């Protein structure tokens, strides 16, 4: 399993879908960049990783432990 493993995450703000099935992996020591147009969900992914945006579905794994659902 990867150091950070984001699997098909979906998050919404009210009726707006902020993240729709994003997935990626990162190994220890790797650098990751989120690129995209305005409104693509880059900040929403960071908020989901930090626990500030709850997921509707999907999983976030960090160091082999489940991270989604953990308070910030």
């Amino acid at each position: 399993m990867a150091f950070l493993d984001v699997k098909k995450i979906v998050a919404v703000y009210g009726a707006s879908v902020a993240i729709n099935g994003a997935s990626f992996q990162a190994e220890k020591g790797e650098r990751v960049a989120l690129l995209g147009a305005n409104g693509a969900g880059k900040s929403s992914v960071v908020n989901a990783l930090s626990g500030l945006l709850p997921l509707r579905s999907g999983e976030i794994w960090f160091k082999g432990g489940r991270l989604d659902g953990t308070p910030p």
Side-chain angles (χ1 to χ4, degrees):
M1 180 171 278
F3 189 70
L4 173 64
D5 195 3
V6 177
K7 300 179 180 182
K8 299 180 182 178
I9 59 172
V10 175
V12 297
Y13 287 109
S16 300
V17 177
I19 308 168
N20 191 10
S23 298
F24 63 90
Q25 294 180 332
E27 297 299 334
K28 186 173 182 177
E30 275 188 314
R31 294 180 183 178
V32 176
L34 297 174
L35 304 173
N38 290 343
K42 301 173 299 291
S43 295
S44 297
V45 170
V46 173
N47 286 335
L49 289 172
S50 65
L52 296 173
L53 178 62
L55 298 180
R56 177 166 282 179
S57 64
E59 302 174 350
I60 300 172
W61 291 80
F62 180 66
K63 294 183 180 179
R66 186 100 181 247
L67 186 65
D68 54 289
T70 304

